[in-house]
Amino acid sequence: MCGIIGITGGEETLDVLLEGLARLEYRGYDSAGLAVLPATDGGPLWRARAANGTRSLEDLVKRTEDAPPGSSTGIGHTRWATHGRPSEANAHPHVDCTGQLALVHNGIIENHLELSDELVLAGHHLESDTDTEVLAHLIESELGTHPEAGLVGAVRETLRRVRGYFAIAVIHSGEPDLIVAARRVSPLVMGLTETEAMLASDIPALLGRTRSFLLLEDDQIAELRPGSIRVTTLDGTEVIPPLRTVDYDLDAARKDGYPDYMSKEMHEQPMAVANTLLDRLLPDGTLALDEVRISDDELRSIDKVFIVACGSSYHAGLMAKYAIEHWARLPVEIDISSEFRYRDPVLDSRTLVIGVSQSGETVDTLQALREARRWNAKVLVISNVVDSSMTREADAVLYTRAGPEIGVASTKTHLAQITALEILALYLAQTRGTLYPHEAREFLDAMGALPDKVETALERAADVEVVATAYRASPSFIFLGRHVGYPVALEGALKLKELSYLWAEGFPAGELKHGPIAVVEPGTVVIGVATRTHLWEKMMANVAEVKSRGATVVLVANDGDEETERQADAVLWVPETHQLFSPIVDVVPLQLFAYSMARLHGLDVDRPRNLAKVVTVE
Ligand code: F6R
């Protein structure tokens, strides 16, 4: 799930590559590298690689004086290690035996071991432990056998032999104005100006350079030359992808004076929720979805819903299960995407499969949705990224309008996902006649109060920090919740472990006594979601169970709830809201808690170790 970039026709090629790589860092930052071609045919290409990510690469490039002057073509890469540890030798670009060809890759080449055996037998010298390097040598080999087909022909023949996923960019010093790019599953976008052509793993990496983009589809190959892009399929048929203009605001992706992206993005949550709610109610009382290619009749005929997602998006899906079952009276199954795909799920044309994905590119979810389509299920995607792979393939799309999220841990997109899913639950209920339109409208109106409540929860950041400081020495945390509080507990635990690297686990509070309570001992810190729901009394009984075994208890409680406060060692206060909307508010103090804890431990909240923002490997 690395980030790739390339440009041809530009004047400050190295600067463009370095700036783009810095913007792509959220996709991985184990190591980084770039290669540029000389201005004249046949000269050696120049490569720089650093084991510690884009900042070290930038330092390295600035210190070096041997970069070829006047280069207008180059490619770059920021890595999230899969095959081979993070090191300079494993950093991309990888080169062939001649040193004339360089290649960057995002994805996984599944048959790399058999291909590398074959290459070694043929006399190639492979230097890294990566799955990628075989591509450079296979292309070299094709070029040797069929030089008349040129670089694009050699890439085409190579890709026919490859199993797995890829977005690649290749340059060769024999064709100094050309970048050949190709994709299968892993994302790749291309940008165009009158004099330049460029590519990257996402659009923001190229914003500032162009607003005109083309999207490469699976098994297509692109030839990028200054001011032009030609696209063909793997079998050589030419295709003309539409040119799209984007109106993103690049400033939206900067920190706006916050110390890090995560705090900026947490503070944007009221806006993310408000924007996702905006204009959803049409004058005729129906709800407006983006890109609906499922008719109301088809929605009425749905008899089962599957939700597939990963990580925080999965937790948002889990929260929505309660709302869809309660309002729309539809059975909902929810699965982690990587499990769903391989477990032979029972689906047909009356099943609605909802994919929840901030990026719209997570390969586990993308493939799960493709599996669903294979069974003729209807596919609806909730995503934050317009024109992402999932949204392009879906029957219907509901966009979260959270704006670009750079911090690796999802915050504002998570709240926007829950909001979008609740809207969907109301839409399904209304379409299927399980709620009257006026009832759906009342619920939507009630949702209008959520941005202010989220704002109020955020204003308590300093109080949450005091609580985090009190428990900063604890090595582990147990999170408990019931009903919609259960996925809130799971999300609180995930945020804490990914940001602070502390052991944290979430449980349904009622399940604790069936095993996990054995780990509770004096001093264990238990964080419970104890806001006022119909299960509050049962939740408090579970809190009593851990307290009586000596646990220290921190409770998320509704403002002014003294009864809950009396049972707690510390309280994280939130405003009260309708039970089915409460995750949107109740998760906020748990995000703040994880954030404070990570900062207290001196950790980088935007770039937690071992993680990447977009996960395009299985
Ligand atoms: C956690 C987090 C991840 C993502 C997961 C799915 O903070 O961000 O768990 O939620 O990788 O990503 P998307 O939503 O892009 O499919």
Side-chain angles (χ1 to χ4, degrees), residues 538-612:
K538 293 196 186 301
M539 177 67 199
M540 294 313 285
N542 300 134
V543 167
E545 287 159 12
V546 293
K547 266 176 77 81
S548 64
R549 284 155 181 90
T552 300
V553 173
V554 179
L555 295 178
V556 179
N558 288 134
D559 289 345
D561 184 350
E562 290 170 7
E563 223 176 327
T564 303
E565 188 181 20
R566 275 197 291 276
Q567 303 303 318
D569 295 286
V571 178
L572 305 172
W573 295 109
V574 288
E576 190 168 355
T577 189
H578 181 284
Q579 174 163 352
L580 287 173
F581 303 140
S582 61
I584 296 175
V585 181
D586 295 357
V587 82
V588 173
L590 301 186
Q591 296 171 336
L592 291 167
F593 184 82
Y595 173 85
S596 295
M597 194 60 90
R599 300 251 304 178
L600 288 165
H601 284 79
L603 299 169
D604 180 346
V605 289
D606 286 337
R607 305 190 333 153
R609 72 182 180 200
N610 303 339
L611 296 177

Side-chain angles (χ1 to χ4, degrees), residues 478 512 515-522 524 526 545-547 549-552:
I478 291 176
L512 211 63
I517 201 164
V519 301
V520 175
E521 56 188 11
T524 305
V526 174
E545 287 159 12
V546 293
K547 266 176 77 81
R549 284 155 181 90
T552 300

Side-chain angles (χ1 to χ4, degrees), residues 152-352:
V152 67
V155 170
R156 179 171 286 120
E157 283 313 309
T158 296
L159 294 182
R160 283 189 213 282
R161 306 203 45 209
V162 159
R163 283 202 312 275
Y165 308 142
F166 50 79
I168 57 166
V170 196
I171 53 175
H172 192 283
S173 56
E175 297 186 63
D177 281 340
L178 175 67
I179 303 176
V180 177
R183 101 169 254 221
R184 182 181 296 159
V185 182
S186 305
L188 198 150
V189 302
M190 299 177 296
L192 201 56
T193 68
E194 277 187 8
T195 54
E196 299 165 331
M198 54 206 103
L199 64 90
S201 298
D202 72 17
I203 289 175
L206 300 176
L207 278 180
R209 207 91 210 144
T210 183
R211 291 194 170 275
S212 302
F213 288 91
L214 298 97
L215 304 174
L216 203 63
E217 300 296 341
D218 277 1
D219 289 322
Q220 291 183 345
I221 299 186
E223 293 156 71
L224 290 85
R225 295 190 168 81
S228 79
I229 294 176
R230 178 171 182 265
V231 178
T232 48
T233 58
L234 260 194
D235 62 16
T237 312
E238 184 155 358
V239 283
I240 314 280
L243 197 64
R244 300 159 190 254
T245 307
V246 303
D247 55 5
Y248 285 16
D249 180 359
L250 187 56
D251 282 348
R254 300 215 167 106
K255 285 187 198 153
D256 283 352
Y258 286 93
D260 39 61
Y261 283 115
M262 186 176 171
S263 52
K264 171 180 179 260
E265 287 160 4
M266 282 193 297
H267 284 89
E268 287 171 346
Q269 294 188 116
M271 190 55 81
V273 173
N275 284 345
T276 303
L277 281 168
L278 201 70
D279 299 336
R280 293 296 184 191
L281 198 59
L282 299 178
D284 66 357
T286 53
L287 297 168
L289 301 180
D290 311 291
E291 300 181 35
V292 189
R293 293 177 284 268
I294 307 177
S295 68
D296 282 356
D297 278 346
E298 285 172 315
L299 278 183
R300 270 186 281 274
S301 74
I302 295 295
D303 60 11
K304 180 158 118 186
V305 174
F306 261 104
I307 302 178
V308 290
C310 312
S312 294
S313 299
Y314 171 78
H315 298 155
L318 207 48
M319 294 162 189
K321 173 179 159 75
Y322 298 86
I324 298 174
E325 289 187 337
H326 180 71
W327 283 325
R329 306 306 298 148
L330 271 167
V332 180
E333 272 196 54
I334 169 148
D335 216 342
I336 287 170
S337 308
S338 52
E339 290 299 317
F340 172 87
R341 184 181 167 200
Y342 295 107
R343 76 168 165 92
D344 203 9
V346 182
L347 313 167
D348 58 31
S349 58
R350 290 158 69 96
T351 313
L352 176 67

Side-chain angles (χ1 to χ4, degrees), residues 341 344-345 347 367-377 379:
R341 184 181 167 200
D344 203 9
L347 313 167
Q367 296 295 24
L369 296 181
R370 287 181 179 169
E371 177 68 12
R373 286 177 71 86
R374 217 165 60 77
W375 291 97
N376 291 323
V379 169

Side-chain angles (χ1 to χ4, degrees), residues 309-314 356-362 365 390 405 407-411 413 417 491 494-495 498 611-615:
C310 312
S312 294
S313 299
Y314 171 78
V356 189
S357 175
Q358 179 281 129
S359 60
E361 301 291 351
T362 301
T365 307
M390 281 180 221
E405 188 174 69
V408 165
S410 44
T411 51
T413 57
Q417 284 172 343
E491 178 63 7
L494 176 63
K495 283 286 156 291
E498 71 180 328
L611 296 177
K613 182 75 182 161
V614 185
V615 186

